Each structure stands twice: as C-alpha cells, then as structure tokens.
Amino acid sequence: MATAAALRAHARAVRRFRRAEAAAMERFGPGPVSAVPVAEFRPNEGSLTSTLRTLLFFTALMITLPVGLYFSSKAYVFEGSLGMSDRDSYFYAAIVAVVTVHVVLALFVYVAWSEGSRQWREGKQD
C-alpha cells in the first residue's frame, strides 16, 4: 500500500514538473536552458521551510522516542511494575521500541501525505 502511495506521489510530482516546464517554454520560448531564470524553478520557500521543519521534527522523534521508551519501559514497567527478569524485560522493551518506530513512521507518512495533497490542492487552485 505504501508503494502505491509513493507511486501516486511520484506521478503527481512528475505532472507538476511537466506543467512548470510547459509554462516556462510558453513564457520564454525554445532556447538554451541557461536563458531561463533560475528563480522560476525554485519551489515555494514557505513550502520548503515547512517540509524541512516536518522532517527535522520526525527525525528527532525517531531518535528519542524509541530509545526513551525502550529504557523507561524496561526499568519502570517490565522490571519495576511487573517484576520481570532482566532477560524478559529486554525482550519486551525491544518490542515496545519497534512498535514505537512503526508508529512514528506511520505518522510521518500521514503528515507528509496530507501536507503534499494540501500543497497540490493549493497549486491546482492557482
């Protein structure tokens, strides 16, 4: 399912690129590529900043949350509250960390997908 979503997102990006290329060809006509100003092909700076901020947020979340939940669930939940042995607590804490990684990845895909579709809708209305 993620592959189909990635393919659709790629197809949308290719269509946007082709539309921008066609608009540049209409505006400037055929000629050398260096004749087209570079500023025409730069993405929206607000969009770039928003995307970078989202990526950095989820990168920090991906690093801190699984590691933090691993050690805290091992020490406080599995060994402290449930009284499990050291060996069992390692196993179950690792499961908690893996599930956390999957949840963070799913959230990142959802946020990136909704942000991309929102930007696509705004670009379509222009």
Side-chain angles (χ1 to χ4, degrees):
M1 184 161 194
T3 304
L7 288 174
R8 285 192 299 267
H10 177 71
R12 282 195 306 270
V14 168
R15 283 193 299 268
R16 270 187 264 138
F17 175 78
R18 288 184 180 156
R19 280 195 302 265
E21 186 179 39
M25 289 299 288
E26 285 179 24
R27 186 175 301 144
F28 300 111
V33 176
S34 62
V36 179
V38 177
E40 291 294 322
F41 292 108
R42 286 190 182 156
N44 185 1
E45 293 297 326
S47 166
L48 184 62
T49 304
S50 172
T51 302
L52 185 61
R53 191 172 292 155
T54 301
L55 181 64
L56 289 176
F57 171 74
F58 279 101
T59 300
L61 207 62
M62 181 63 77
I63 292 169
T64 58
L65 201 60
V67 173
L69 282 178
Y70 173 81
F71 287 110
S72 63
S73 67
K74 180 188 176 306
Y76 299 115
V77 176
F78 298 119
E79 289 177 357
S81 297
L82 299 176
M84 290 184 173
S85 68
D86 216 22
R87 187 175 185 162
D88 289 340
S89 66
Y90 283 130
F91 177 74
Y92 290 112
I95 290 174
V96 168
V98 168
V99 168
T100 304
V101 166
H102 283 85
V103 168
V104 170
L105 282 174
L107 285 172
F108 173 71
V109 168
Y110 174 75
V111 168
W113 183 265
S114 63
E115 181 178 286
S117 64
R118 177 178 47 85
Q119 289 173 356
W120 179 73
R121 275 186 262 124
E122 288 173 359
K124 189 176 180 181
Q125 291 173 356
D126 288 344

